[in-house]
Amino acid sequence: MKTSTTLLLTASTVSGFAVLPQNPHSSSTTALNGLFDGVKEAFSAPALERSQIDAERETPIDRWMGWSVVSDQDAAKEANAKAGSDFVDSMDEANYVAVELEKPMGIIFEENDSEYGGIFVQALKEGGVAEQNGILKAGDQLVAVGTSNVSGLDFDDALGVIIDSTAEKTKLTLFRGTAKQFYGPTGPSKEWLTNFCEKGGVTLTSA
């Protein structure tokens, strides 16, 4: 009897998981309809319903479970939305400025908070070369000196690159944004920044 019931269960798997006992006089039934409903329900907790899966890793089980799938483009949009209305694209060259200045430049630099590193323009000396040039603004983040990447360096090391420059005019490339926008989660990728600095940043900015 056990053998026949097992065979009937196997055959009935295709037909909705309903197994009836062979004895027509028996009043008991074994209903297996929705065998996996409990499994699905167990894995459909609110936290998992909100889970997002990379589109390239989507499987049939993901679709069956109703888990949402997010594309790279959607992920980027979500990151930008979380950044808020003050988001500045640090991998858009339009958000950088470049100047060539003689020394002394008349720039007062200050170091960012330790969680970020790097230095920024705190102020311009009145009547100095930088102020007369008219491009730099307080808050600009120093990114490159010539083709040297100085982002993230401490105050002495970053300023030392400017001091060591032997050119008649030294080129500075700066990001027009905050330390958080440059060094935070929405900052440029290491590869992009390396290529950007190696080519000397952006062309000189016109006043």
Side-chain angles (χ1 to χ4, degrees):
M1 186 64 179
K2 287 184 179 179
T3 302
S4 61
T5 302
T6 303
L7 291 174
L8 182 58
L9 174 59
T10 304
S12 65
T13 302
V14 183
S15 59
F17 304 100
V19 180
L20 299 178
Q22 284 186 314
N23 185 353
H25 301 293
S26 174
S27 59
S28 63
T29 61
T30 305
L32 298 180
N33 286 312
L35 177 63
F36 294 104
D37 289 348
V39 177
K40 182 176 181 179
E41 188 174 325
F43 282 93
S44 296
L48 289 177
E49 288 177 351
R50 294 191 296 270
S51 297
Q52 291 185 327
I53 303 165
D54 190 293
E56 295 180 357
R57 299 173 56 196
E58 182 185 15
T59 65
I61 191 66
D62 298 327
R63 292 190 292 271
W64 181 70
M65 295 297 292
W67 289 333
S68 59
V69 178
V70 61
S71 65
D72 291 341
Q73 185 176 8
D74 291 337
K77 289 180 179 178
E78 183 178 350
N80 292 350
K82 288 181 179 179
S85 58
D86 63 343
F87 171 73
V88 177
D89 189 352
S90 58
M91 291 194 287
D92 183 349
E93 294 189 1
N95 294 318
Y96 290 80
V97 296
V99 294
E100 280 188 344
L101 304 173
E102 299 175 347
K103 293 184 286 187
M105 298 177 176
I107 304 173
I108 301 172
F109 286 103
E110 187 171 329
E111 191 168 16
N112 290 309
D113 292 341
S114 57
E115 63 179 308
Y116 300 124
I119 63 176
F120 68 97
V121 177
Q122 195 273 331
L124 302 177
K125 185 178 179 180
E126 187 176 354
V129 174
E131 186 188 55
Q132 292 178 12
N133 177 267
I135 300 298
L136 301 185
K137 296 180 179 180
D140 288 345
Q141 297 286 326
L142 182 63
V143 175
V145 177
T147 58
S148 298
N149 180 2
V150 298
S151 63
L153 297 183
D154 62 29
F155 185 87
D156 291 337
D157 290 340
L159 206 60
V161 180
I162 298 177
I163 295 172
D164 292 342
S165 173
T166 58
E168 182 179 348
K169 290 185 177 182
T170 301
K171 182 179 180 181
L172 307 180
T173 301
L174 303 96
F175 170 68
R176 183 139 290 169
T178 66
K180 183 178 180 180
Q181 290 165 339
F182 185 79
Y183 295 104
T186 59
S189 68
K190 183 177 180 180
E191 181 181 4
W192 185 92
L193 187 58
T194 297
N195 293 333
F196 178 72
C197 293
E198 285 180 349
K199 73 184 185 71
V202 294
T203 57
L204 297 179
T205 305
S206 301

